[in-house]
Amino acid sequence: MPTHPAGPEMRQDPIRFKNLVKEAETRLIDAGLEQKEAIVLLEKSHEIDTQEFWEQMAKQGLAIFISENIFRYYTLPIDFQELVVVTDRFQIKPLLPILNGNGQQFHFYSEYYDHLQYQSQSLHIRQHVKLFQQPNQSFLRCQ
């Protein structure tokens, strides 16, 4: 769901959140869960819904993943549409722009004394991969 770190819209975020949790409960029941089971499954989402949680929200988005054994929430640096998905797997497609930085991604190689490293960086994620290592040898030589 989109969130608002400041401004008058910030007061609407808890209301939108409650509506989305209620929608998830309805969809779980429609999918065959008993109402008590749906309430238990969504219980942790009610636990984070506090004034302190919303006051500390400094990002533009909130994603929550819930299953029988998993409850994870992530505050995200991007804005996206409200979405409730009830299925047997997590829906991560709306989060993919975080990985590619909306097309603003940089790739480069770095030579160090003992290894060659590939680096990929978007607006939100930096990744380092050590490609290979040889002790005391330089990989790139100028002639």
Side-chain angles (χ1 to χ4, degrees):
M1 71 172 272
T3 59
H4 305 87
E9 299 90 6
M10 183 175 139
R11 287 180 258 152
Q12 297 295 317
D13 291 342
I15 296 167
R16 287 188 189 104
F17 180 76
K18 285 177 180 64
N19 291 338
L20 291 171
V21 171
K22 187 66 178 167
E23 182 180 341
E25 181 181 330
T26 301
R27 288 187 184 191
L28 286 166
I29 293 167
D30 291 345
L33 255 62
E34 296 291 325
Q35 184 174 9
K36 290 180 183 179
E37 293 173 319
I39 290 170
V40 168
L41 188 63
L42 298 171
E43 186 176 335
K44 289 188 180 181
S45 61
H46 294 291
E47 291 174 8
I48 67 167
D49 186 19
T50 64
Q51 183 175 352
E52 181 181 3
F53 175 80
W54 295 108
E55 287 174 355
Q56 293 179 359
M57 181 65 66
K59 301 284 184 169
Q60 295 176 327
L62 174 65
I64 298 179
F65 299 96
I66 302 172
S67 73
E68 189 175 320
N69 301 317
I70 295 172
F71 178 82
R72 300 269 197 287
Y73 72 88
Y74 302 94
T75 56
L76 305 167
I78 62 169
D79 185 11
F80 47 90
Q81 295 180 346
E82 292 180 0
L83 178 66
V84 174
V85 176
V86 173
T87 186
D88 61 343
R89 58 190 81 162
F90 294 129
Q91 171 74 324
I92 62 166
K93 188 175 181 180
L95 306 179
L96 293 179
I98 293 173
L99 298 177
N100 73 8
N102 294 326
Q104 298 178 9
Q105 191 164 7
F106 308 95
H107 307 275
F108 52 94
Y109 292 91
S110 301
E111 179 189 7
Y112 293 92
Y113 179 70
D114 63 345
H115 69 277
L116 186 64
Q117 180 172 292
Y118 166 76
Q119 297 181 34
S120 174
Q121 183 169 347
S122 71
L123 295 175
H124 310 293
I125 294 177
R126 184 183 338 184
Q127 179 182 30
H128 300 276
V129 178
K130 193 178 281 189
L131 296 176
F132 55 88
Q133 184 170 353
Q134 289 184 327
N136 302 324
Q137 290 191 5
S138 181
F139 295 102
L140 303 175
R141 300 193 187 273
C142 297
Q143 295 190 11

